[in-house]
Amino acid sequence: MASATPSAPPAQARAGVSVRAPGRLHLGFIDPSGSLGRRFGSIGLVIAGFETELELARAEHDALSADTGAAEAELERAAQHLRLLRERSGRHEPLALRLRRVLPPHAGFGSGTQLALAVGRAFAHCHGLALDTPTIAQWLGRGQRSGIGIAGFDAGGLLLDGGPGREGQPAKVLSRIELPSAWRVIVVLDARARGLSGEQERSAIAQLPPLPQGAAADISHQLLMRVLPGAAGDEFEAFAAGLNRVQQLIGEHFAPAQGGSAWTSAAVGRLMSFWGDHASASAALGQSSWGPTGFAIVPSAAAAEGLIEAARAAGAVDAALDLRVVSARNRGALVSALDAR
């Protein structure tokens, strides 16, 4: 039986389980420099159409397999998560892991966090362990800056967190809103580029100058009085104006770590600039995390198709870009027992 609340402790151990974890877009930090003493805080959106999917089952001996080349490249990381979970839990029964598909890595979808949480949730279900998602994240070293991937795994939606706790606990969610069902997201992928991650990401953040307190205050104001009310009340123009301002401020702050540009991918940047010049009032535009993935949130499927058609007609879409129209996902990971399917 599928469940949309993967953080609830399983009633009993299961022979095998399937987990499908959703991708998310990181729409911006609130205060990465901690001008009031609390760093980061972030806003993000869980989206449909992008998932990490795996199966974990009891076996006679450990086994790892992958259905795609991209999934095979993530097997070692998945195996490391299993090793850490065994050390933390003391459970060492043999398991067979099948990684069916993965989110694009280092592209702004939270692939590392979703893989870790999917492995952790499957491990807990196979052993009947009452582990909530923040605990799994902490065991596996996830959520050190943003809590939206953790909350998105549990519930989906448009999420706002207030930054990690003082002792390193994953960030608590301050707001969760379901986007209006008519709204759509154009996701723009560039497989030629990769966003920063790991030590490179930590080093880049450490070398940036502090975000001015005035900019952090502006971001907070935009989120509280435009973005969140716009999403909650189906007031798209307010939502778009607020998120565009957030992306402008965050893009300017992180540009020195991205070669002086707000965009990791020049091709994505050109497309976003075209849309900004021709649809600034009818689209919320930006880059997810370190990119290279860009996004355009629009009020309807027709608006999405109109933006894409206009950009293609103007020659603004690089041939290597992959454009996909998806909806927001207002539910978290799907967990189902293999023996019940």
Side-chain angles (χ1 to χ4, degrees):
M1 185 65 123
S3 168
T5 55
S7 62
Q12 60 184 10
R14 297 195 181 276
V17 67
S18 167
V19 181
R20 293 167 52 194
R24 58 90 179 121
L25 301 176
H26 193 285
L27 306 180
F29 284 121
I30 302 171
D31 188 0
S33 306
S35 60
L36 293 177
R38 193 178 188 94
R39 297 187 69 194
F40 300 113
S42 56
I43 184 164
L45 176 66
V46 181
I47 57 173
F50 294 87
E51 288 184 326
T52 283
E53 180 180 2
L54 60 80
E55 296 174 356
L56 189 68
R58 295 184 180 184
E60 293 184 2
H61 54 81
D62 283 342
L64 300 173
S65 63
D67 287 9
T68 68
E72 186 172 4
E74 296 294 325
L75 277 180
E76 178 51 40
R77 182 151 61 161
Q80 176 62 19
H81 294 326
L82 285 176
R83 287 192 287 269
L84 288 172
L85 289 162
R86 283 166 163 165
E87 290 174 9
R88 288 282 194 164
S89 67
R91 303 296 294 270
H92 297 275
E93 294 89 336
L95 296 168
L97 173 68
R98 179 184 180 187
L99 198 49
R100 304 200 63 170
R101 53 179 166 156
V102 294
L103 291 161
H106 311 303
F109 294 100
S111 62
T113 293
Q114 296 310 305
L115 176 63
L117 297 181
V119 172
R121 176 58 54 219
F123 185 90
H125 270 257
C126 283
H127 294 92
L129 302 176
L131 296 175
D132 63 19
T133 307
T135 297
I136 293 171
Q138 202 159 17
W139 280 12
L140 299 178
R142 309 308 303 185
Q144 296 178 352
R145 283 176 290 278
S146 170
I148 58 174
I150 299 168
F153 183 90
D154 276 345
L158 178 70
L159 302 159
L160 180 77
D161 75 59
R166 295 186 183 277
E167 303 301 321
Q169 304 96 329
K172 299 289 187 181
V173 173
L174 306 179
S175 173
R176 177 190 176 273
I177 296 171
E178 296 190 359
L179 283 195
S181 59
W183 292 14
R184 292 293 183 269
V185 185
I186 306 172
V187 181
V188 184
L189 302 99
D190 187 346
R192 301 166 299 183
R194 292 167 71 90
L196 297 179
S197 64
E199 185 54 41
Q200 284 186 322
E201 179 183 14
R202 287 187 287 272
S203 176
I205 291 175
Q207 292 178 33
L208 287 170
L211 180 72
Q213 189 175 40
D218 193 352
I219 291 170
S220 301
H221 197 186
Q222 299 294 332
L223 292 176
L224 184 61
M225 300 308 294
R226 276 180 156 176
V227 175
L228 297 182
D234 198 0
E235 300 171 8
F236 184 80
E237 288 191 7
F239 171 88
L243 189 53
N244 284 334
R245 177 59 176 165
V246 170
Q247 278 283 315
Q248 177 191 355
L249 292 166
I250 289 297
E252 291 172 353
H253 177 66
F254 284 99
Q258 298 179 156
S261 171
W263 311 97
T264 297
S265 162
V268 171
R270 287 191 295 271
L271 176 57
M272 293 297 161
S273 295
F274 173 83
W275 281 337
D277 291 339
H278 293 81
S280 58
S282 59
L285 307 170
Q287 174 178 281
S288 178
S289 187
W290 292 101
T293 300
F295 64 83
I297 304 174
V298 294
S300 67
E305 294 305 320
L307 280 188
I308 294 172
E309 289 176 7
R312 292 197 186 282
V317 182
D318 188 289
L321 295 182
D322 180 8
L323 278 58
R324 306 184 198 177
V325 179
V326 302
S327 60
R329 175 166 164 157
N330 293 317
R331 63 181 182 181
L334 297 178
V335 181
S336 58
L338 292 177
D339 53 5
R341 295 195 305 174

